[in-house]
Each structure stands twice: as C-alpha cells, then as structure tokens.
C-alpha cells in the first residue's frame, strides 16, 4: 500500500524509539479468524522487545499506535490505522490521549508527543489530541536547546493551535495558546488579533487579566510590525516613517529586523549609503545573518567595491560551512 507522505518536522527526534520494537507477521489462521487478513496479510506487526509474550489484540494495537506516532510516514501506517479503527473504532484514541497527558505531566514529552501523534493519525478530527499535541510541543520547545530544534517544535505548536481554532472556534484556550505561539515568533499583529478573540470567548478572569497585560505591551511592537509590512508591500517611505521612530528607543533598537527592513526600504529607494548603514547595524546584532550580507554584497557590487563584496561572500561561505558542521555533529550525536 503506497501511503501519502506527511510533513514531519520533529520525526527525527522520535523515530529512534522504534528501535525498542521488533516486527513479525501474524499467522494466516489468526488473521482469518479475526477478520483482518485483508489489511494485515504480509504486514509485520510491532512487538516491544520487553513484551515478547502475552500479546493481545489491545497490546498489538497500542504498539501500532506507538510506531506511527514515532514515524507518521511509516510504510504500514495506513494498515495499522485500519486495524485499530476496525478492531476498536476511533474511540481507541481516548485512552491513548490520557496516556499522553499522564506522560506530559511527568515531563516525558517525547512519549506524550508519540501518543498524541498516533491519536491524530487514527482520528484526525480529535480536538482533544490536537490541543494536547500543541501543548506538548510548546512545553518541549520551552525546555529545549538549539535554534533548529526549538524552531521545529514552535512551528508544530503553532500549526496545531491554528488548526484547533479552525476546528473549534468557540474554544477559548485554543486562542489563548495560539496568541503565545504568534508572540514567540514575533508575529505581533496576529497575536493581538488572536488574543482579542480570546478575550471575547473567555470567562477566566485571571487569564484575561494576563492577556490584557500582553495586549497593552503589544501596542508598540504591533506598530513596528506594521512598518515591516509597509516595506514588504512596497510602501517604502511609509515604512521608513514608522520604523525610524524606534531607532533611538532602547526597548526596540536591539531588534535586528528593525534595521533590516529600514535597510531594505532605503535600498529600494536607491539611498545606498543609508541602506548600508542599516544593514551594518543588523550585523552588529545578528553577525551570521546571510540575507543581510547578501544585501550588502549587492550594494558593494553596484558601487564597484569588489573587495568588500568578496569579503562578505567569503563570510557567507564560512557561515554556511559552520552550519553544515553543526548539523553533522547533531546528527552524529543522535545516531
């Protein structure tokens, strides 16, 4: 059976748990008796190495759910889902979610995520699994280290809460956590709009006070993001007017995107001296920013300053090489 490939941002951190299992096929007589020959003939089922005896229908189903939770593109995923739903119906996800919640409470977030991912494959419409999955991804990145690792879990959490608010638009907590997901990605306008919806839905006084404090703090960041959007939309003069106000503001002038978008605006207006100055401010705050170095290379080439252009081309090469070395080291540590 050829399966549809699903995007999997975090699978590489969970797939190693598959090594806890061996795989073997069920007997033809058992499959015929159980009425599952059409979905499991030629399909090996997972057996946990520590549970080689005492297999039951329930244990097999739980093992299957665990495997597809580890690897959502496992080659027998659809066979496993078919077996579970035929044998137990989609209600099988309820105890699976409960098991994940218990694991999360004990800070075993990998196990929890595996349970929730398995539950979502069995019942993609389960808002409980989606909510718990978003929460577990959030807890994971808050305790994690490494930009790529944290970024992947942030993206998963964000996507889960976005889907949740679409599936259950009257559920206040979906908007509560989605607001934080947007905030953590610097999407201040979306955070503001999301939390305003939360304020309309929620009756939790303490959480509403908490969110209102954030809404008050977001007034200036929202204006800055609107300045970014002006630049992205080609309204360069307006973007400069909005963003220039904050270059002397110590609360915000250490935000490298502020300088980056000012640089882009000036570059598009052909004021290359001011563009260069702003891009250099970016590199003071974000020394390995490749996009900014590429902008400077373009400016130097226009100005005929080939040595400076070559300097940043070499620096980009060093940054990319270091990124590859870091990735190789991480993969080596995981293997």
């Amino acid at each position: 059976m050829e399966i549809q490939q699903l995007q999997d941002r975090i699978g590489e951190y969970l797939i190693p748990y598959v090594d806890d299992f061996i795989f073997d096929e069920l007997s033809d007589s058992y499959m015929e008796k159980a009425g599952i020959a059409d979905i499991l003939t030629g399909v090996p089922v997972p057996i946990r190495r520590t549970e080689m005896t005492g297999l039951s229908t329930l244990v097999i189903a739980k093992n299957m759910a665990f495997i597809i939770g580890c690897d959502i593109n496992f080659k027998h995923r659809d066979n496993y889902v078919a077996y579970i739903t035929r044998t137990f119906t989609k209600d099988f996800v309820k105890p699976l979610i409960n098991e994940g919640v218990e694991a999360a409470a004990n800070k075993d977030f990998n196990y929890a995520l595996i349970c929730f991912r398995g539950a979502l494959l069995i019942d993609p419409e389960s808002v409980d699994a989606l909510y718990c999955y978003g929460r577990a991804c959030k807890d994971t990145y808050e305790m994690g280290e490494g930009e790529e690792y944290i970024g992947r879990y942030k993206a998963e959490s964000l996507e889960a809460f976005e889907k949740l608010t679409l599936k259950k638009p009257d559920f206040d907590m979906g908007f509560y956590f989605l607001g934080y997901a947007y905030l953590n990605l610097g999407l201040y306008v979306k955070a503001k709009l999301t939390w305003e919806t939360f304020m309309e839905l929620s009756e939790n006084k303490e959480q509403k006070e908490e969110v209102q404090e954030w809404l008050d703090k977001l007034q200036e960041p929202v204006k800055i993001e609107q300045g970014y959007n002006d630049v992205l939309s080609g309204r360069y003069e307006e973007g400069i007017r909005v963003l220039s106000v904050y270059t002397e503001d110590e609360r915000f002038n250490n935000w490298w995107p502020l300088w980056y978008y000012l640089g882009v605006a000036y570059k598009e207006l052909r004021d290359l001296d001011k563009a260069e100055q702003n891009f250099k401010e970016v590199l003071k705050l974000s020394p390995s920013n490749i996009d900014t170095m590429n902008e400077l290379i373009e400016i130097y080439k226009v100005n005929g300053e080939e040595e400076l252009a070559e300097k940043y081309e070499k620096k980009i090469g060093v940054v990319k090489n270091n990124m590859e070395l870091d990735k190789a080291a991480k993969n080596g540590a995981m293997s």
Side-chain angles (χ1 to χ4, degrees), residues 26-99:
L26 299 172
S27 68
D28 292 340
S29 60
Y30 174 82
M31 288 190 289
E32 289 294 336
K33 183 178 179 181
I36 55 174
D38 58 320
I39 52 177
L40 288 188
T41 296
V43 175
V45 300
I47 303 169
R48 201 178 283 273
R49 295 179 187 275
T50 56
E51 298 174 352
M52 300 292 287
T53 59
L55 286 178
S56 65
T57 301
L58 178 60
V59 170
I60 291 172
K62 287 180 66 176
N63 289 351
M64 287 178 172
F66 192 90
I67 292 296
I68 62 176
C70 293
D71 181 2
I72 62 175
N73 290 309
F74 186 70
K75 63 181 179 180
H76 300 303
R77 177 194 70 205
D78 295 347
N79 301 83
Y80 287 4
V81 170
Y83 171 79
I84 292 168
T85 54
R86 181 181 297 185
T87 308
F88 295 99
T89 77
K90 290 184 179 180
D91 285 343
F92 184 83
V93 303
K94 294 177 181 178
L96 193 59
I97 293 169
N98 291 337
E99 191 171 348

Coordinates of all heavy atoms in Angstrom, one line a residue, residues 26-99:
L26 N 1.6 -11.8 11.7 CA 0.6 -12.7 12.4 C 0.4 -13.9 11.5 O 0.5 -13.9 10.3 CB -0.7 -11.9 12.6 CG -0.6 -10.7 13.5 CD1 -1.9 -9.9 13.5 CD2 -0.2 -11.1 15.0
S27 N -0.1 -15.0 12.1 CA -0.3 -16.2 11.3 C -1.6 -16.0 10.5 O -2.5 -15.3 10.8 CB -0.6 -17.4 12.3 OG -1.8 -17.2 13.0
D28 N -1.6 -16.7 9.4 CA -2.7 -16.6 8.5 C -4.0 -17.1 9.1 O -5.1 -16.4 8.9 CB -2.5 -17.5 7.2 CG -1.4 -17.0 6.3 OD1 -1.1 -15.8 6.5 OD2 -0.9 -17.8 5.5
S29 N -3.9 -18.1 10.0 CA -5.1 -18.6 10.6 C -5.7 -17.6 11.6 O -6.9 -17.4 11.7 CB -4.8 -19.9 11.4 OG -3.8 -19.7 12.4
Y30 N -4.8 -16.9 12.3 CA -5.3 -15.9 13.3 C -5.9 -14.7 12.5 O -7.0 -14.2 12.9 CB -4.1 -15.3 14.1 CG -4.5 -14.1 15.0 CD1 -5.1 -14.3 16.2 CD2 -4.3 -12.8 14.5 CE1 -5.5 -13.3 17.0 CE2 -4.7 -11.8 15.3 CZ -5.3 -12.0 16.5 OH -5.6 -10.9 17.3
M31 N -5.3 -14.3 11.4 CA -5.9 -13.2 10.7 C -7.2 -13.5 10.1 O -8.1 -12.7 10.1 CB -4.9 -12.7 9.6 CG -3.7 -12.0 10.2 SD -2.7 -11.2 8.9 CE -1.9 -12.7 8.1
E32 N -7.4 -14.7 9.6 CA -8.7 -15.1 9.0 C -9.7 -15.2 10.1 O -10.8 -14.7 9.9 CB -8.5 -16.5 8.3 CG -7.7 -16.5 7.1 CD -8.4 -15.7 5.9 OE1 -9.7 -15.6 6.0 OE2 -7.7 -15.3 5.0
K33 N -9.4 -15.7 11.3 CA -10.3 -15.8 12.4 C -10.7 -14.4 12.9 O -11.9 -14.2 13.2 CB -9.7 -16.6 13.5 CG -10.6 -16.8 14.7 CD -9.9 -17.7 15.8 CE -10.8 -17.9 17.0 NZ -10.1 -18.7 18.0
A34 N -9.8 -13.5 12.9 CA -10.0 -12.2 13.4 C -10.7 -11.2 12.3 O -11.1 -10.1 12.6 CB -8.8 -11.5 13.9
G35 N -10.7 -11.7 11.1 CA -11.3 -10.9 10.0 C -10.4 -9.7 9.6 O -10.9 -8.7 9.2
I36 N -9.1 -9.9 9.7 CA -8.2 -8.8 9.3 C -7.2 -9.2 8.3 O -6.2 -8.4 8.0 CB -7.4 -8.3 10.6 CG1 -6.7 -9.5 11.2 CG2 -8.4 -7.6 11.6 CD1 -5.8 -9.1 12.4
A37 N -7.4 -10.3 7.6 CA -6.5 -10.7 6.6 C -6.3 -9.7 5.5 O -5.3 -9.6 4.9 CB -6.9 -12.1 6.0
D38 N -7.4 -9.0 5.1 CA -7.4 -8.1 4.0 C -6.5 -6.9 4.3 O -6.0 -6.2 3.4 CB -8.8 -7.6 3.7 CG -9.5 -6.9 4.8 OD1 -9.3 -7.4 6.0 OD2 -10.2 -5.9 4.6
I39 N -6.2 -6.6 5.6 CA -5.4 -5.4 5.9 C -4.1 -5.7 6.5 O -3.2 -4.9 6.5 CB -6.2 -4.4 6.9 CG1 -6.6 -5.2 8.1 CG2 -7.3 -3.7 6.2 CD1 -7.3 -4.2 9.1
L40 N -3.9 -7.0 7.0 CA -2.6 -7.3 7.6 C -1.8 -8.4 7.0 O -0.7 -8.7 7.4 CB -2.8 -7.6 9.1 CG -3.1 -6.4 10.0 CD1 -3.1 -6.8 11.5 CD2 -2.1 -5.2 9.8
T41 N -2.3 -9.0 5.9 CA -1.6 -10.0 5.2 C -0.3 -9.4 4.6 O -0.3 -8.5 3.9 CB -2.4 -10.7 4.1 OG1 -3.5 -11.3 4.6 CG2 -1.5 -11.7 3.3
G42 N 0.9 -10.0 5.0 CA 2.1 -9.5 4.6 C 2.6 -8.3 5.3 O 3.6 -7.7 4.9
V43 N 1.9 -7.9 6.3 CA 2.3 -6.7 7.0 C 2.8 -7.1 8.4 O 2.1 -7.6 9.2 CB 1.1 -5.7 7.2 CG1 1.4 -4.5 8.1 CG2 0.6 -5.3 5.9
P44 N 4.1 -6.8 8.7 CA 4.6 -7.1 10.0 C 4.0 -6.2 11.1 O 3.8 -5.0 10.9 CB 6.1 -6.9 9.9 CG 6.2 -5.9 8.8 CD 5.1 -6.2 7.9
V45 N 3.8 -6.8 12.3 CA 3.3 -6.0 13.4 C 4.4 -5.8 14.4 O 5.3 -6.6 14.6 CB 2.0 -6.7 14.0 CG1 0.9 -6.9 13.0 CG2 2.4 -8.0 14.7
P46 N 4.3 -4.7 15.2 CA 5.4 -4.4 16.1 C 5.2 -5.1 17.5 O 4.1 -5.2 18.0 CB 5.2 -2.9 16.3 CG 3.8 -2.6 16.0 CD 3.3 -3.6 15.0
I47 N 6.3 -5.6 18.0 CA 6.3 -6.3 19.3 C 7.4 -5.6 20.1 O 8.6 -5.6 19.7 CB 6.6 -7.8 19.2 CG1 5.5 -8.4 18.2 CG2 6.6 -8.4 20.5 CD1 5.9 -9.8 17.8
R48 N 7.0 -5.1 21.2 CA 8.0 -4.4 22.1 C 9.0 -5.5 22.6 O 8.6 -6.6 23.1 CB 7.4 -3.7 23.3 CG 8.2 -2.6 23.9 CD 7.4 -1.9 25.0 NE 6.4 -1.0 24.5 CZ 6.7 0.3 24.2 NH1 7.9 0.7 24.4 NH2 5.7 1.1 23.8
R49 N 10.3 -5.2 22.6 CA 11.3 -6.2 23.0 C 11.1 -6.6 24.4 O 11.5 -7.8 24.8 CB 12.7 -5.6 22.8 CG 13.1 -5.2 21.4 CD 14.5 -4.6 21.3 NE 14.8 -4.2 19.9 CZ 15.2 -5.0 18.9 NH1 15.5 -6.2 19.2 NH2 15.5 -4.5 17.7
T50 N 10.6 -5.8 25.2 CA 10.4 -6.2 26.7 C 9.0 -6.9 26.9 O 8.7 -7.3 28.0 CB 10.4 -4.9 27.5 OG1 9.4 -4.0 27.1 CG2 11.8 -4.3 27.5
E51 N 8.2 -7.1 25.8 CA 6.9 -7.7 25.9 C 6.8 -8.8 24.9 O 5.8 -8.8 24.1 CB 5.8 -6.7 25.8 CG 5.9 -5.6 26.8 CD 4.8 -4.5 26.6 OE1 4.2 -4.5 25.5 OE2 4.7 -3.6 27.5
M52 N 7.7 -9.8 24.8 CA 7.7 -10.8 23.8 C 6.6 -11.8 24.0 O 6.2 -12.6 23.1 CB 9.0 -11.5 23.8 CG 10.2 -10.5 23.5 SD 10.1 -9.9 21.8 CE 10.6 -11.3 20.9
T53 N 6.0 -11.9 25.2 CA 4.9 -12.8 25.5 C 3.7 -12.1 25.9 O 3.7 -10.9 26.3 CB 5.4 -13.8 26.6 OG1 5.7 -13.1 27.8 CG2 6.6 -14.6 26.2
G54 N 2.6 -12.8 26.0 CA 1.4 -12.2 26.4 C 0.8 -11.2 25.5 O 0.1 -10.2 25.9
L55 N 1.0 -11.4 24.2 CA 0.5 -10.4 23.2 C -1.1 -10.6 23.2 O -1.6 -11.7 23.2 CB 1.0 -10.7 21.8 CG 2.5 -10.2 21.6 CD1 2.9 -10.6 20.2 CD2 2.6 -8.7 21.8
S56 N -1.7 -9.4 23.0 CA -3.2 -9.4 22.9 C -3.5 -8.5 21.8 O -2.7 -7.7 21.3 CB -3.8 -9.0 24.2 OG -3.5 -7.7 24.5
T57 N -4.8 -8.5 21.4 CA -5.3 -7.5 20.4 C -5.0 -6.1 20.8 O -4.6 -5.3 20.0 CB -6.8 -7.7 20.1 OG1 -7.0 -9.1 19.7 CG2 -7.3 -6.8 19.1
L58 N -5.2 -5.8 22.1 CA -5.0 -4.5 22.6 C -3.6 -4.1 22.6 O -3.2 -2.9 22.2 CB -5.6 -4.4 24.0 CG -5.4 -3.0 24.7 CD1 -6.1 -1.9 24.0 CD2 -5.9 -3.1 26.2
V59 N -2.7 -5.0 23.0 CA -1.3 -4.7 23.0 C -0.8 -4.4 21.6 O 0.0 -3.5 21.4 CB -0.5 -5.8 23.7 CG1 1.0 -5.7 23.5 CG2 -0.8 -5.9 25.2
I60 N -1.2 -5.3 20.7 CA -0.8 -5.1 19.3 C -1.2 -3.7 18.8 O -0.5 -2.9 18.1 CB -1.4 -6.2 18.4 CG1 -0.7 -7.5 18.7 CG2 -1.2 -5.8 16.9 CD1 -1.3 -8.7 18.0
A61 N -2.5 -3.3 19.1 CA -3.0 -2.0 18.6 C -2.2 -0.9 19.3 O -1.9 0.1 18.6 CB -4.5 -1.9 19.0
K62 N -1.9 -1.0 20.6 CA -1.1 0.1 21.2 C 0.3 0.2 20.6 O 0.8 1.3 20.4 CB -1.0 -0.2 22.7 CG -2.3 0.0 23.5 CD -2.2 -0.3 25.0 CE -1.3 0.7 25.7 NZ -1.2 0.5 27.1
N63 N 0.9 -0.9 20.3 CA 2.2 -0.9 19.7 C 2.1 -0.2 18.3 O 3.0 0.5 17.9 CB 2.7 -2.3 19.6 CG 3.1 -2.9 20.9 OD1 3.1 -2.2 21.9 ND2 3.4 -4.2 20.9
M64 N 1.1 -0.6 17.6 CA 0.9 0.1 16.2 C 0.8 1.6 16.4 O 1.4 2.3 15.6 CB -0.3 -0.5 15.5 CG -0.2 -1.9 15.0 SD -1.7 -2.5 14.3 CE -1.2 -4.1 13.6
A65 N 0.0 2.0 17.3 CA -0.2 3.4 17.5 C 1.1 4.1 17.9 O 1.4 5.2 17.5 CB -1.3 3.7 18.6
F66 N 1.9 3.4 18.7 CA 3.2 4.0 19.1 C 4.1 4.1 17.9 O 4.8 5.2 17.8 CB 3.8 3.1 20.2 CG 5.0 3.7 20.9 CD1 4.8 4.5 22.0 CD2 6.3 3.6 20.4 CE1 5.8 5.1 22.7 CE2 7.3 4.2 21.1 CZ 7.1 4.9 22.2
I67 N 4.1 3.1 17.1 CA 5.0 3.1 15.9 C 4.7 4.3 15.0 O 5.6 5.1 14.6 CB 5.0 1.8 15.2 CG1 5.6 0.7 16.0 CG2 5.7 1.9 13.8 CD1 7.1 0.9 16.3
I68 N 3.4 4.4 14.7 CA 3.0 5.5 13.7 C 3.2 6.9 14.4 O 3.3 7.9 13.7 CB 1.6 5.3 13.1 CG1 0.6 5.3 14.2 CG2 1.6 4.0 12.3 CD1 -0.9 5.2 13.6
G69 N 3.1 6.9 15.7 CA 3.3 8.2 16.4 C 4.8 8.6 16.4 O 5.1 9.7 16.3
C70 N 5.7 7.6 16.4 CA 7.1 7.8 16.2 C 7.4 8.3 14.8 O 8.1 9.3 14.5 CB 7.9 6.6 16.5 SG 7.9 6.0 18.2
D71 N 6.8 7.6 13.8 CA 7.1 7.9 12.4 C 5.8 8.0 11.7 O 5.2 6.9 11.3 CB 8.0 6.7 11.8 CG 8.3 7.0 10.4 OD1 7.9 8.0 9.8 OD2 9.0 6.1 9.8
I72 N 5.3 9.2 11.4 CA 4.0 9.4 10.8 C 4.0 8.9 9.3 O 2.9 8.9 8.7 CB 3.5 10.8 11.0 CG1 4.4 11.8 10.3 CG2 3.3 11.2 12.4 CD1 3.9 13.2 10.3
N73 N 5.1 8.7 8.8 CA 5.2 8.2 7.4 C 5.7 6.7 7.3 O 6.2 6.3 6.3 CB 6.1 9.1 6.6 CG 5.5 10.4 6.3 OD1 4.4 10.5 5.9 ND2 6.3 11.5 6.6
F74 N 5.5 6.0 8.4 CA 5.8 4.6 8.5 C 5.1 3.9 7.4 O 3.9 4.1 7.1 CB 5.4 4.0 9.8 CG 5.9 2.6 10.1 CD1 7.2 2.3 10.3 CD2 4.9 1.6 10.1 CE1 7.6 1.0 10.5 CE2 5.3 0.2 10.3 CZ 6.6 0.0 10.5
K75 N 5.8 3.0 6.7 CA 5.3 2.4 5.4 C 4.0 1.6 5.6 O 3.2 1.4 4.7 CB 6.3 1.5 4.7 CG 6.8 0.3 5.5 CD 7.9 -0.4 4.7 CE 8.4 -1.6 5.5 NZ 9.4 -2.4 4.7
H76 N 3.7 1.1 6.8 CA 2.5 0.3 7.1 C 1.5 1.2 7.9 O 0.6 0.6 8.5 CB 2.8 -1.0 7.8 CG 3.7 -1.9 7.0 ND1 3.4 -2.3 5.7 CD2 4.9 -2.4 7.3 CE1 4.4 -3.1 5.3 NE2 5.3 -3.1 6.2
R77 N 1.7 2.5 7.9 CA 0.8 3.3 8.7 C -0.6 3.1 8.4 O -1.4 2.9 9.4 CB 1.2 4.8 8.4 CG 0.3 5.8 9.1 CD 0.5 7.2 8.5 NE -0.1 7.3 7.1 CZ 0.3 8.1 6.2 NH1 1.3 9.0 6.4 NH2 -0.3 8.1 5.0
D78 N -1.0 3.1 7.2 CA -2.5 3.0 6.9 C -3.0 1.7 7.2 O -4.2 1.6 7.6 CB -2.7 3.4 5.4 CG -2.3 4.8 5.1 OD1 -2.1 5.6 6.0 OD2 -2.2 5.1 3.9
N79 N -2.2 0.6 7.1 CA -2.7 -0.7 7.5 C -2.9 -0.7 9.0 O -3.9 -1.3 9.5 CB -1.6 -1.8 7.2 CG -1.3 -1.8 5.7 OD1 -0.5 -1.0 5.2 ND2 -2.0 -2.7 5.0
Y80 N -2.0 -0.1 9.8 CA -2.1 -0.1 11.2 C -3.4 0.7 11.7 O -4.1 0.3 12.5 CB -0.9 0.6 11.9 CG 0.3 -0.3 11.9 CD1 0.4 -1.5 11.2 CD2 1.5 0.1 12.5 CE1 1.5 -2.3 11.2 CE2 2.7 -0.7 12.5 CZ 2.6 -1.9 11.9 OH 3.8 -2.7 11.9
V81 N -3.6 1.9 11.0 CA -4.8 2.7 11.3 C -6.1 1.9 11.0 O -7.0 1.9 11.8 CB -4.8 4.0 10.6 CG1 -6.1 4.7 10.7 CG2 -3.6 4.9 11.1
A82 N -6.1 1.2 9.9 CA -7.2 0.4 9.5 C -7.5 -0.7 10.5 O -8.7 -1.0 10.9 CB -7.0 -0.2 8.1
Y83 N -6.4 -1.4 11.0 CA -6.6 -2.4 12.0 C -7.2 -1.9 13.3 O -8.1 -2.4 13.9 CB -5.2 -3.1 12.3 CG -5.3 -4.0 13.4 CD1 -5.8 -5.3 13.3 CD2 -4.8 -3.6 14.7 CE1 -5.8 -6.2 14.4 CE2 -4.8 -4.5 15.8 CZ -5.3 -5.8 15.6 OH -5.4 -6.6 16.7
I84 N -6.6 -0.7 13.7 CA -7.1 -0.2 15.0 C -8.5 0.3 15.0 O -9.3 0.0 15.8 CB -6.1 1.0 15.4 CG1 -4.7 0.5 15.7 CG2 -6.7 1.8 16.6 CD1 -3.7 1.6 15.9
T85 N -8.9 1.0 13.9 CA -10.3 1.5 13.8 C -11.3 0.4 13.6 O -12.4 0.5 14.0 CB -10.4 2.6 12.7 OG1 -9.9 2.0 11.4 CG2 -9.6 3.8 13.0
R86 N -10.9 -0.7 12.9 CA -11.8 -1.8 12.7 C -12.0 -2.6 14.0 O -13.1 -3.0 14.3 CB -11.3 -2.7 11.6 CG -12.2 -3.9 11.3 CD -11.7 -4.8 10.3 NE -11.6 -4.2 8.9 CZ -11.2 -4.8 7.8 NH1 -11.0 -6.1 7.9 NH2 -11.1 -4.2 6.7
T87 N -10.9 -2.7 14.7 CA -11.0 -3.5 15.9 C -11.6 -2.8 17.1 O -12.3 -3.4 17.9 CB -9.6 -4.1 16.3 OG1 -9.0 -4.7 15.1 CG2 -9.6 -5.0 17.4
F88 N -11.2 -1.5 17.2 CA -11.6 -0.7 18.4 C -12.4 0.5 18.1 O -12.9 1.2 19.1 CB -10.4 -0.3 19.2 CG -9.6 -1.5 19.7 CD1 -8.5 -2.0 19.1 CD2 -10.0 -2.1 20.9 CE1 -7.7 -3.0 19.6 CE2 -9.2 -3.2 21.4 CZ -8.1 -3.7 20.8
T89 N -12.6 0.9 16.9 CA -13.2 2.2 16.4 C -12.3 3.3 16.8 O -11.3 3.1 17.5 CB -14.6 2.4 17.0 OG1 -14.5 2.8 18.4 CG2 -15.5 1.2 16.9
K90 N -12.6 4.5 16.4 CA -11.8 5.7 16.7 C -11.8 6.1 18.2 O -11.0 6.9 18.6 CB -12.3 6.9 15.9 CG -12.0 6.8 14.4 CD -12.4 8.0 13.6 CE -12.1 7.8 12.1 NZ -12.4 9.0 11.3
D91 N -12.7 5.4 19.0 CA -12.6 5.7 20.4 C -11.3 5.2 21.0 O -11.0 5.5 22.2 CB -13.8 5.0 21.1 CG -15.1 5.7 20.8 OD1 -15.1 6.9 20.5 OD2 -16.2 5.1 21.0
F92 N -10.6 4.4 20.3 CA -9.2 4.0 20.8 C -8.4 5.2 21.2 O -7.5 5.0 22.0 CB -8.6 3.2 19.7 CG -7.3 2.6 20.1 CD1 -7.2 1.4 20.8 CD2 -6.0 3.2 19.8 CE1 -6.0 0.8 21.2 CE2 -4.8 2.6 20.2 CZ -4.8 1.4 20.9
V93 N -8.6 6.3 20.6 CA -7.7 7.5 20.9 C -7.9 8.0 22.3 O -7.0 8.7 22.8 CB -7.9 8.6 19.8 CG1 -7.7 8.1 18.4 CG2 -9.3 9.3 20.0
K94 N -9.1 7.8 22.9 CA -9.3 8.3 24.2 C -8.3 7.9 25.3 O -7.7 8.7 25.9 CB -10.7 8.1 24.6 CG -11.8 8.8 23.8 CD -13.2 8.4 24.2 CE -14.2 9.1 23.3 NZ -15.6 8.7 23.6
P95 N -8.1 6.6 25.5 CA -7.1 6.1 26.4 C -5.7 6.5 26.0 O -4.8 6.7 26.8 CB -7.3 4.6 26.5 CG -8.0 4.2 25.3 CD -8.9 5.4 24.9
L96 N -5.5 6.6 24.6 CA -4.2 7.0 24.1 C -3.8 8.4 24.5 O -2.7 8.7 24.9 CB -4.2 6.8 22.6 CG -2.8 6.8 21.9 CD1 -1.9 5.8 22.4 CD2 -3.0 6.7 20.4
I97 N -4.8 9.3 24.4 CA -4.6 10.7 24.8 C -4.4 10.8 26.3 O -3.5 11.5 26.7 CB -5.9 11.5 24.4 CG1 -6.0 11.6 22.9 CG2 -5.8 12.9 25.0 CD1 -7.3 12.2 22.4
N98 N -5.2 10.0 27.1 CA -5.0 10.0 28.5 C -3.5 9.6 28.9 O -2.9 10.1 29.8 CB -6.0 9.1 29.2 CG -7.4 9.6 29.1 OD1 -7.6 10.9 28.9 ND2 -8.4 8.8 29.2
E99 N -3.0 8.6 28.2 CA -1.7 8.1 28.4 C -0.7 9.2 28.1 O 0.3 9.4 28.8 CB -1.4 6.8 27.6 CG -0.1 6.1 27.9 CD 0.0 4.8 27.2 OE1 -1.0 4.3 26.6 OE2 1.1 4.2 27.3

